[in-house]
Structure formats: structure tokens, C-alpha cells
């Protein structure tokens, strides 16, 4: 790994064993990009890659020299209107109304390691030798503003993490109308765009689009990263599959409004810009003020989609997730939500916990409905203390003690950012919600969003949570967020502040998380937003796992978990076995298949176990034991997608331990059909030269190369619910050499 500055050619070459990224200080002192892709040898100059010629209608930077026009120059952090008419990476409105800027190279710094981003989530290093960082400072001498572009390359991974800082030193205030985290210009447009789109209950479905001249974008302006569009896109070459071909991934480490835009220019170049959504953002900077963008993690793969995903998995699991839970296997939980919703008593939930304990589960989670006067979704949010002692006679402390007394850990649900009008909090502070004066405040799930852009609001919620967490033995928190932000306005502030509210809000959420995880480092946090509405890298920095979707149907989950795995480690995906008929889609699937899908995640149960027939209880007990035996492999192994639920009736995937000694391959057959063809399941990721035993059966020992090139012969007798829909089978492979 190295970052080299070639003084003569004024070029930076950022590279490791897998990737190269080359930046040039152009003749006008702005920054151009010469190359991003598979590693190439270093040389003193790559300036032969500069392309320029006289083109009709193009405007040029210099007189009498028709070479440099930004219209077709690949740039690092482009602005609009000074020969380039494409969408820019940033826009600064100045005192005289102009938006034209000229940021020129001023200095650079190369150092080992990686800086923290103040108040924002970001990937990190544990040892400075793991990564190297280049910071390039640009300066606009008319407005006296500096731009610091930061690039960190990891030694062992094909990753460059980028962010941008604006430092304003001028006397007059400037307004940032757009401050994207990255812009990358590619020399051609022979790509397809991949993104993860959806809705509540069908989050992160894989979508693929062709690129055409013009722009296409995904985004959220909902105040959360959203179920609709995950803050991630990839550009892939058209021949790419899971195992072959060139892919560029871009993942924004942020949980608020975002924009991922791709523009193909008239000369078939592709520009990617990613960052905070500019349409809901306006950030004034006075003298001495700084604005820091979130980070974008760029991953390059020349071995298809799996390699890109595995890179994200490794980085996010080990250098984004933090704290005591990062390297620990996660407890198997039993959550009461689908069993009782808000209608429970202490007796009822203790019965569920006890049934879970008897079957080997380790953590009981009390979901929504325990606080204030919360018996339905019209009331109680904001009052994070027990008021209804009929429901919980000994409060949370008493219940937690009883659960602990059973030998289980206790977890609790919160929705810290929200308030109901029917609550003590709203009665005392009805001006604490996000609402525009004189306009309707639109309810959603009968609740309103607290103005987390205000410190006193965050402080108050912290004080309530801190109290209960200090008093009761709480080992886990499920942090929910069940509505988006409408009529965005902070009534505590003046007009100039209003363009800051969405971003300040999410900084407030991060601040509350940071304070809680610092004070209670042993608590395992799981983030949630009506299921997977805020499943993003920003959240993973604070909460090591996220509830993947409220849709827990095993068949639907194949798509949701498959899509989620494009970016996110399976260890971070909350996945529960629930009752049938499934509450979201009404489907009846075998309990084995429900577990066979949920195993590939942070595993748990969410149903009234006491209602299960004895035969199923016995199966659950076996499942719990199975997960305990295999969770180390599942959560830390290398995950490969093999066949896609978006393309086929059969979904397959495999997780292989890093040393290739163990693996679990999963085969899910959604719909059955008559008189089916013979099938073989080709595995991946094993050691060609070692023999593996399948499911401990001495008659089934094969070399890795057989399993990967010939495949396992599928025997329908092995399926759970054979001859029926929604059947599945797991193959446990153990090396015997
Ligand atoms: C939405 C979550 O996704 C569910 O799991 C549950 O916690 C409910 N909220 C509770 O209101």
C-alpha cells in the first residue's frame, strides 16, 4: 500500500495490491482524475491519460489553448458553471449571489492511519499501519474558503474511504447548497447501475438499470436513509455476475437524506456523485466555521458482486461496527412483539421468556408497550418510564431481575426520537416536535418526530434513558424509528437554520447513541425503523445489528436478506423465526425453512413459544443448539451468494470459514413442481484439495474440487417438507484432511 506524490507531474497515485486511484493537479490548479480501477504499475507520470481537443460549443479555461475544458475533463470534486455544465459535487452561494468558485491546489498531507470524523460515523483503523490517508487542501482565494478532500486506502482491502471538509475563513457568510461526499468521473459509460430499492416489508430488493445519456438517481428525502432506497449504488460492467467481472461499489455512511446520482455525459463519460441530498440541505458558514461531509466507502472488485460484498462485509464487520459486541457472537433472542404486540402483562411475557429459556434461548426482549400509558399506538411515546403498574407491577427493574433470575439476559425496546400527543412529554413541551409554524403537522402512526436538532431535546431523552438503564439490568436495546419526517422545521431557530435541520437531526441521533454506548458499553444495540427503514452503515457504527425487515416470511426474507447482503454483513442482519400463517403475508412455511433462512443473520424467535405443539418445540430446541454450534462460522465466515431469488425459484448461498475447514451451504426450493429435472448444487469457496464430509455422513465424502465443479447431487428426500412448497436443506461441510 502506498500513496505517492510525483512532484514533476503533480500526480498522486493511491494504490495497494488490488486497486489504483490516480489524481492530477491540472494546469488550472484544480484537481483532475486520471484513473480508478484495478492496480496498475506506478510511473512518474500518467499525463498521457489527459484528453483534450477543440469541440464545438465547449468553453475553455485558457485563452489560445483549446485543451482544457472541464466539460469533458475527469475531475475530483467538480463545480458547476465554469466550463462544466454537468451536475456538480458542491455549490456555494456567495454574498453577491454568485455560485461560481475556483478551488485551486494549496497543499497536501500523507499520513499513516485514518482520522475520526467529528460527530459522524465512519470506518476506522485499530493500528495506523492498516491504512494510509491523503488529504488535499484546495483554496478559493476570492471567498477565502478551504476544501479538504480526504482519501484513505486500506492495506488489505480494495477500499478507498472518502470525505470532504469545508473550512470557511472569509469574513462574509457563504451558503453551502450542496456538499456531496464524493464525485468520481469514469472515462466511459459501459456500465449498469445496481441499487437496493423497496418499501416497508420488502426492503433492499436488487434492481439493475442500464445507463443512458442524462441523469438517473436514487435518493431519500424522508429524514431517514429509508426502506425505499438504501444509500448504496454499484456500477458494474454488463458481463458481471456474482463471481466475475468489474464492479465499483459506493456506500454512504449516513442515516439521513441522501442522493446517489449517475450522469452520463454527451461524451459518454460517467459521473457518480453521492452525499447528503442537496434539495433538503442549505448550510450557512460564517468565518471560522467548518462543515464535514459524511464518508463514502468505495470498493472495487474485478471478481464480480460477491467480492465487492465480501469486502464490505469484512470492513463493516471489523472496522465500522465498534465496541464489545463487535467480535462476540450474538445471543439468541426471543422477542414478544409478534406474540403479544402491546397487550401483555408481566405474567404473560415471563411465560414467553421462560419458554424461550427452556428451549435454550439467551435473551428476552420486551418490545413496544411497556412505558407511559402505552396500550395502543396513540399514546405514551416520549415517556420512557413505567406508569402502568397493572401491566408491570415491579416496573422494568423488577421484570429485568426476574428474567435475569431465570438465567436469561433482558432487552428493552425504545423509540427515542418520537412522541405521541397523548404523553407527559408532549404536554410539557409541545414545541419540541418538528413542525412548521402555521402549517398542518402530518401524523404518521399517530406520532410526531422530536426535534433532535435541538440539544435540550436530546439531553432530555438521554436523561430518561440513562436513568432506566442505570437502574435496571438491561443488556440489549432495540432502537426503533417508525415514521419519516414531514413539515421539517425547527421552531427554536431562525430562518437561516432551517436548511440545516435534517442533517442536525441525524447528528442529534448519533449524539444520543454515542452518549449511551459510551456510558453503557456492555449493551448490545439493534437499530430498527419499521423493520429495515434505516439499515445503513451509519447506524452500524453505533448499533452492531439492525432489524432487517418486519416481513419475517421465510420466502420473502430470501430476497430481503439476499439484497441486504450486497453491502451488509450477515452478522448484522436481525433475522427471526415467527409463527405461521405469517403475519405479513399469510404464508405457511415449514419451521425448518423459517430457521434455515433466519440462521443466516443475528438469529432469534418472535412468537408465542408456549403455543407451539410439543413436536415443534423439540425442533426449536434443536435449532437453538444448531445455531449455537455454528454461529461463530456464520457470523465470521465468508458469505457467497450463489443463485438469486430475483432470478430463480431456487436460492442458494454458502458461508465458509476463513480457513475453509467448515462451511454451511443452503438450498431453498420455493415452489415445488411435478416431475422435476435432476439437480446439482455447485458449491464455492472450498479448498480444491481437501476432502469434506457432508452432514457427518461417512458415505458422503468428497474433495472440494468435486463439490465445486460437479456439485452436490440434490436428493429430494433430504428436504424438510419434501414434496411440498417452501422446502429447504442445509449441507454442513467439515474438512476431514
Ligand atoms: C416496528 C418494528 O419493526 C417492530 O419490530 C416492532 O418493534 C414495532 N415497531 C413496535 O411498535
Amino acid at each position: 500500500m502506498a500513496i505517492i506524490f510525483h512532484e514533476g507531474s503533480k500526480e498522486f497515485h493511491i494504490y495497494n495490491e488490488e486497486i489504483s486511484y490516480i489524481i492530477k493537479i491540472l494546469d488550472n490548479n484544480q484537481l483532475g482524475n486520471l484513473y480508478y480501477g484495478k492496480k496498475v504499475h506506478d510511473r512518474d507520470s500518467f499525463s498521457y491519460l489527459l484528453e483534450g481537443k477543440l469541440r464545438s460549443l465547449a468553453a475553455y479555461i485558457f485563452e489560445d489553448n483549446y485543451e482544457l475544458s472541464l466539460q469533458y475533463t475527469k475531475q475530483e470534486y467538480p463545480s458547476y458553471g465554469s466550463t462544466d455544465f454537468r451536475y456538480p459535487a458542491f455549490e456555494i452561494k456567495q454574498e453577491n449571489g454568485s455560485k461560481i468558485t475556483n478551488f485551486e491546489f494549496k497543499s497536501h498531507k500523507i499520513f499513516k492511519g485514518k482520522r475520526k470524523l467529528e460527530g459522524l460515523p465512519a470506518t476506522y483503523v485499530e493500528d495506523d499501519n492498516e491504512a494510509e490517508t491523503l488529504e488535499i487542501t484546495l483554496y478559493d482565494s476570492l471567498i477565502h474558503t478551504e476544501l479538504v478532500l480526504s482519501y484513505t486506502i486500506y492495506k488489505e482491502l480494495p477500499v478507498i474511504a472518502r470525505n470532504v471538509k469545508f473550512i470557511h475563513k472569509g469574513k462574509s457568510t457563504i451558503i453551502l447548497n450542496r456538499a456531496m461526499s464524493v464525485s468520481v468521473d469514469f472515462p466511459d459509460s459501459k456500465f449498469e447501475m445496481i441499487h437496493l430499492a423497496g418499501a416497508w416489508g420488502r426492503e433492499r430488493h436488487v434492481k439493475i438499470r442500464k445507463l443512458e445519456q442524462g441523469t438517473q438517481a436514487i435518493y431519500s428525502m424522508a429524514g431517514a436513509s429509508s426502506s425505499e432506497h438504501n444509500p448504496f449504488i454499484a456500477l458494474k460492467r454488463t458481463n458481471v455476475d456474482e463471481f466475475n467481472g468489474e464492479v465499483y461499489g459506493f456506500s454512504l455512511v449516513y442515516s439521513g437524506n441522501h442522493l446517489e446520482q449517475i450522469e452520463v455525459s454527451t461524451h459518454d463519460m460517467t459521473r457518480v456523485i453521492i452525499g447528503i441530498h442537496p434539495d433538503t440541505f442549505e448550510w450557512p458558514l460564517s468565518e471560522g466555521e467548518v462543515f464535514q461531509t459524511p464518508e463514502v466507502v468505495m470498493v472495487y472488485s474485478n471478481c464480480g458482486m460477491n467480492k465487492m460484498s465480501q469486502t464490505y462485509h469484512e470492513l463493516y464487520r471489523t472496522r465500522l461496527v465498534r465496541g464489545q459486541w463487535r467480535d462476540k457472537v450474538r445471543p439468541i433472542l426471543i422477542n414478544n412483539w409478534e406474540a403479544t404486540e402491546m397487550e401483555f402483562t408481566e405474567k404473560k411475557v415471563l411465560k414467553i421468556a421462560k419458554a424461550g429459556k427452556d428451549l435454550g434461548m439467551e435473551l428476552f426482549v420486551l418490545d413496544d408497550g411497556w412505558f407511559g400509558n402505552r396500550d395502543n399506538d396513540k399514546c405514551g411515546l416520549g415517556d420512557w418510564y413505567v406508569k402502568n403498574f397493572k401491566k408491570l407491577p415491579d416496573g422494568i427493574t423488577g421484570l429485568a431481575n426476574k428474567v435475569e433470575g431465570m438465567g436469561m439476559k433482558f432487552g428493552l425496546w425504545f423509540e427515542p426520537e418520537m412522541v405521541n400527543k397523548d404523553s407527559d412529554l408532549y404536554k410539557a413541551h409541545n414545541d419540541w416536535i418538528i413542525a412548521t409554524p402555521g402549517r398542518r403537522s402530518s401524523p404518521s402512526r399517530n406520532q410526531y418526530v422530536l426535534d433532535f436538532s435541538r440539544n435540550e431535546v436530546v439531553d432530555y431523552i438521554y436523561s430518561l434513558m440513562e436513568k432506566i438503564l442505570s437502574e435496571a439490568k438491561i443488556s440489549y436495546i432495540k432502537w426503533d424509528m417508525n415514521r419519516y419526517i414531514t413539515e421539517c422545521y425547527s421552531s427554536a431557530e431562525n430562518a437561516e437554520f432551517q436548511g440545516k435541520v435534517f442533517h442536525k437531526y441525524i447528528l442529534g441521533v448519533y449524539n444520543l447513541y454515542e452518549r449511551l454506548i459510551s456510558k453503557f458499553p456492555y449493551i448490545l444495540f439493534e437499530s430498527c425503523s419499521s423493520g429495515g427503514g434505516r439499515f445503513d452503515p451509519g447506524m452500524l457504527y453505533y448499533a452492531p445489528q439492525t432489524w432487517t425487515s418486519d416481513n419475517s416470511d421465510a420466502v420473502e426474507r430470501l430476497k430481503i436478506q439476499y439484497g441486504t447482503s450486497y453491502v451488509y454483513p450477515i452478522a448484522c442482519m436481525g433475522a427471526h423465526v415467527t409463527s405461521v400463517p405469517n403475519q405479513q403475508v399469510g404464508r405457511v412455511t415449514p419451521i425448518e425453512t423459517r430457521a434455515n433462512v433466519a440462521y443466516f443473520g443475528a438469529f432469534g424467535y418472535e412468537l408465542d413459544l408456549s403455543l407451539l405443539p410439543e413436536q415443534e418445540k423439540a425442533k426449536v430446541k434443536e435449532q437453538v443448539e444448531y445455531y449455537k454450534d455454528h454461529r461463530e462460522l456464520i457470523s465470521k465466515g465468508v458469505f457467497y451468494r450463489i443463485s438469486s431469488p430475483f432470478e430463480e425459484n431456487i436460492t442458494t448461498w454458502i458461508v465458509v470459514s476463513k480457513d475453509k475447514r467448515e462451511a454451511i451451504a443452503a438450498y431453498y426450493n420455493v415452489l415445488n413442481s411435478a416431475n422435476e429435472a435432476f439437480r446439482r448444487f455447485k458449491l464455492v469457496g472450498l479448498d480444491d484439495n481437501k476432502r469434506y464430509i457432508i452432514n457427518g455422513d461417512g458415505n458422503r465424502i468428497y474433495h472440494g474440487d468435486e463439490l465445486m465443479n460437479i456439485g452436490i447431487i440434490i436428493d429430494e428426500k433430504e428436504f424438510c417438507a419434501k414434496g411440498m412448497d417452501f422446502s429447504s436443506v442445509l449441507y454442513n461441510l467439515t474438512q476431514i484432511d
Side-chain angles (χ1 to χ4, degrees):
M1 166 190 60
I3 299 177
I4 294 179
F5 181 52
H6 294 287
E7 298 262 357
S9 57
K10 299 189 182 166
E11 289 170 14
F12 297 93
H13 189 179
I14 306 170
Y15 65 90
N16 63 18
E17 291 300 312
E18 298 192 70
I19 50 173
S20 280
Y21 191 97
I22 304 167
I23 300 168
K24 179 173 180 64
I25 304 167
L26 301 169
D27 287 348
N28 66 344
N29 265 337
Q30 293 186 4
L31 287 189
N33 180 285
L34 296 184
Y35 176 72
Y36 171 36
K38 189 169 161 56
K39 194 219 162 176
V40 292
H41 286 98
D42 189 39
R43 56 190 284 150
D44 291 342
S45 172
F46 288 91
S47 296
Y48 68 90
L49 290 169
L50 280 174
E51 291 151 319
K53 70 173 181 184
L54 179 61
R55 290 179 187 272
S56 298
L57 280 179
Y60 290 85
I61 296 288
F62 301 114
E63 286 181 5
D64 303 327
N65 174 347
Y66 294 113
E67 288 285 307
L68 184 56
S69 171
L70 299 176
Q71 184 181 340
Y72 51 70
T73 299
K74 292 174 284 300
Q75 297 160 73
E76 276 308 300
Y77 203 63
S79 65
Y80 163 80
S82 192
T83 76
D84 189 356
F85 307 111
R86 289 170 288 172
Y87 274 90
F90 68 100
E91 186 183 278
I92 297 178
K93 189 162 175 197
Q94 297 143 53
E95 211 176 23
N96 65 358
S98 163
K99 294 176 183 170
I100 300 300
T101 52
N102 183 29
F103 280 92
E104 298 191 5
F105 177 80
K106 181 178 169 195
S107 61
H108 78 273
K109 233 184 257 169
I110 295 170
F111 55 89
K112 284 181 163 192
K114 184 174 193 289
R115 281 193 219 280
K116 276 187 151 194
L117 296 193
E118 203 51 49
L120 280 168
T123 54
Y124 59 90
V125 291
E126 282 203 328
D127 172 338
D128 280 350
N129 292 315
E130 290 175 6
E132 214 171 321
T133 298
L134 164 67
E135 285 180 353
I136 303 178
T137 301
L138 309 173
Y139 186 63
D140 184 319
S141 55
L142 196 62
I143 54 174
H144 305 290
T145 305
E146 273 179 13
L147 263 179
V148 183
L149 308 187
S150 169
Y151 305 78
T152 298
I153 184 160
Y154 279 82
K155 190 173 172 197
E156 305 289 351
L157 293 168
V159 168
I160 296 179
R162 289 178 56 177
N163 70 78
V164 178
K165 195 152 80 177
F166 291 78
I167 304 168
H168 185 50
K169 298 180 168 172
K171 295 248 173 295
S172 60
T173 297
I174 57 170
I175 296 171
L176 290 182
N177 283 334
R178 167 185 286 253
M180 305 305 279
S181 299
V182 299
S183 175
V184 181
D185 286 347
F186 291 90
D188 69 88
S189 63
K190 291 189 199 97
F191 291 111
E192 286 172 338
M193 165 184 171
I194 300 204
H195 59 110
L196 303 172
W200 174 87
R202 51 182 166 79
E203 296 89 343
R204 289 169 302 287
H205 281 207
V206 176
K207 306 281 174 188
I208 304 178
R209 301 187 198 177
K210 232 177 115 203
L211 297 193
E212 295 285 358
Q213 185 178 335
T215 56
Q216 40 191 312
I218 57 155
Y219 66 91
S220 168
M221 293 198 279
S225 52
S226 86
S227 310
E228 284 71 21
H229 291 292
N230 200 254
F232 159 80
I233 54 167
L235 288 182
K236 73 169 186 70
R237 297 295 178 186
T238 40
N239 60 348
V240 164
D241 61 23
E242 289 289 5
F243 301 95
N244 305 289
E246 193 171 46
V247 189
Y248 295 86
F250 298 87
S251 165
L252 178 67
V253 186
Y254 190 58
S255 313
N257 291 344
H258 58 91
L259 172 69
E260 292 72 24
Q261 183 178 289
I262 295 179
E263 178 168 8
V264 175
S265 75
T266 181
H267 301 116
D268 276 344
M269 296 185 340
T270 304
R271 171 170 291 175
V272 175
I273 50 176
I274 295 182
I276 295 177
H277 201 305
D279 287 4
T280 53
F281 172 87
E282 193 183 72
W283 199 279
L285 282 183
S286 309
E287 189 179 6
E289 286 186 334
V290 171
F291 181 77
Q292 171 67 63
T293 73
E295 171 170 280
V296 165
V297 175
M298 309 197 310
V299 167
Y300 172 78
S301 159
N302 62 345
C303 300
M305 299 305 298
N306 269 316
K307 169 85 186 292
M308 178 203 74
S309 302
Q310 289 160 2
T311 304
Y312 278 120
H313 296 173
E314 180 68 11
L315 182 73
Y316 284 178
R317 194 175 61 74
T318 64
R319 293 294 180 268
L320 176 65
V321 170
R322 297 176 294 167
Q324 293 182 8
W325 282 99
R326 185 188 70 182
D327 302 322
K328 283 203 228 167
V329 292
R330 310 287 159 72
I332 299 174
L333 66 81
I334 167 75
N335 175 307
N336 73 309
W337 177 249
E338 285 209 5
T340 66
E341 299 210 336
M342 296 178 209
E343 283 169 37
F344 58 81
T345 55
E346 186 187 79
K347 204 168 151 210
K348 200 165 173 180
V349 293
L350 282 174
K351 200 168 155 208
I352 294 174
K354 173 77 172 54
K357 171 68 191 163
D358 290 345
L359 298 175
M361 294 167 205
E362 299 156 314
L363 166 72
F364 169 72
V365 178
L366 182 63
D367 210 283
D368 193 355
W370 60 268
F371 48 89
N373 54 353
R374 183 80 163 174
D375 281 326
N376 56 60
D377 64 19
K378 289 198 168 73
C379 46
L381 289 173
D383 299 344
W384 300 110
Y385 36 83
V386 173
K387 279 172 79 177
N388 184 347
F389 289 93
K390 277 200 196 113
K391 244 180 175 174
L392 296 172
D394 299 319
I396 287 298
T397 313
L399 176 62
N401 284 339
K402 287 173 201 169
V403 173
E404 282 265 335
M406 283 179 195
M408 278 188 120
K409 295 289 174 199
F410 177 73
L412 196 58
W413 181 95
F414 287 91
E415 196 177 0
E417 300 151 70
M418 298 293 156
V419 68
N420 289 116
K421 287 196 171 168
D422 184 356
S423 67
D424 299 341
L425 172 56
Y426 187 80
K427 276 174 208 129
H429 300 285
N430 64 8
D431 62 333
W432 276 13
I433 62 169
I434 290 187
T436 301
R439 303 287 175 198
R440 176 193 61 240
S441 300
S442 307
S444 177
R445 206 197 188 199
N446 302 302
Q447 65 195 53
Y448 298 85
V449 184
L450 287 170
D451 185 356
F452 267 37
S453 74
R454 292 167 68 171
N455 293 339
E456 70 271 32
V457 178
V458 176
D459 288 348
Y460 176 74
I461 297 297
Y462 174 78
S463 70
L464 293 186
M465 293 179 78
E466 196 262 349
K467 183 167 188 299
I468 190 160
L469 298 178
S470 302
E471 286 169 0
K473 285 190 186 137
I474 295 173
S475 308
Y476 162 105
I477 287 180
K478 177 172 172 187
W479 178 318
D480 208 342
M481 193 258 186
N482 284 304
R483 67 158 291 174
Y484 294 148
I485 297 176
T486 56
E487 293 90 25
C488 183
Y489 194 96
S490 175
S491 55
E493 299 283 351
N494 60 15
E496 283 71 52
F497 187 83
Q498 301 309 324
K500 295 167 99 171
V501 176
F502 272 115
H503 182 56
K504 279 270 186 188
Y505 172 86
I506 210 74
L507 294 180
V509 173
Y510 292 152
N511 176 276
L512 181 57
Y513 258 118
E514 191 65 44
R515 287 158 79 180
L516 290 168
I517 61 175
S518 313
K519 176 95 198 247
F520 305 100
Y522 54 87
I523 293 181
L524 171 63
F525 282 77
E526 177 156 346
S527 76
C528 172
S529 174
S530 284
R534 210 163 55 179
F535 199 135
D536 59 61
M539 281 293 127
L540 290 181
Y541 186 67
Y542 304 96
Q545 58 193 57
T546 301
W547 179 224
T548 311
S549 176
D550 276 347
N551 187 346
S552 56
D553 170 63
V555 174
E556 297 271 294
R557 274 295 186 117
L558 290 175
K559 286 187 174 161
I560 295 169
Q561 293 177 205
Y562 192 96
T564 305
S565 80
Y566 267 54
V567 186
Y568 304 100
I570 58 175
C572 301
M573 293 182 208
H576 300 171
V577 172
T578 57
S579 59
V580 288
N582 177 268
Q583 291 191 6
Q584 294 80 34
V585 298
R587 188 176 286 126
V588 177
T589 53
I591 195 154
E592 291 88 346
T593 293
R594 279 175 269 156
N596 287 348
V597 176
Y599 287 145
F600 293 86
F603 184 63
Y605 289 79
E606 191 165 332
L607 71 173
D608 191 342
L609 294 166
S610 59
L611 300 179
L612 282 183
E614 284 309 312
Q615 202 195 359
E616 291 215 333
K617 275 193 192 156
K619 286 186 184 169
V620 168
K621 198 165 185 194
E622 281 171 22
Q623 292 171 352
V624 167
E625 277 164 24
Y626 178 83
Y627 191 73
K628 284 182 184 166
D629 288 345
H630 294 90
R631 60 185 157 185
E632 185 81 29
L633 160 66
I634 290 171
S635 58
K636 295 183 186 161
V638 183
F639 181 76
Y640 296 84
R641 294 173 299 269
I642 304 178
S643 57
S644 164
F646 296 101
E647 291 165 12
E648 295 181 41
N649 182 47
I650 288 164
T651 299
T652 54
W653 55 49
I654 188 170
V655 62
V656 185
S657 64
K658 283 204 172 142
D659 61 8
K660 302 190 177 190
R661 295 196 62 78
E662 274 193 288
I664 305 174
Y667 188 102
Y668 308 95
N669 182 35
V670 176
L671 291 182
N672 215 23
S673 63
N675 198 14
E676 290 196 334
F678 298 112
R679 294 202 204 116
R680 292 177 185 189
F681 175 18
K682 287 190 188 179
L683 308 187
V684 296
L686 305 177
D687 187 330
D688 279 313
N689 301 312
K690 295 280 164 45
R691 289 176 308 151
Y692 292 84
I693 182 165
I694 299 179
N695 293 341
D697 178 351
N699 294 318
R700 298 174 88 188
I701 295 176
Y702 305 95
H703 273 101
D705 59 3
E706 291 176 82
L707 293 167
M708 293 194 288
N709 296 305
I710 300 171
I712 294 179
I713 305 299
I714 295 295
D715 178 355
E716 280 169 22
K717 289 198 289 300
E718 282 187 313
F719 281 77
C720 69
K722 73 181 145 50
M724 286 171 61
D725 291 336
F726 322 127
S727 55
S728 61
V729 59
L730 296 186
Y731 299 97
N732 295 281
L733 299 128
T734 312
Q735 249 184 43
I736 55 165
D737 291 323

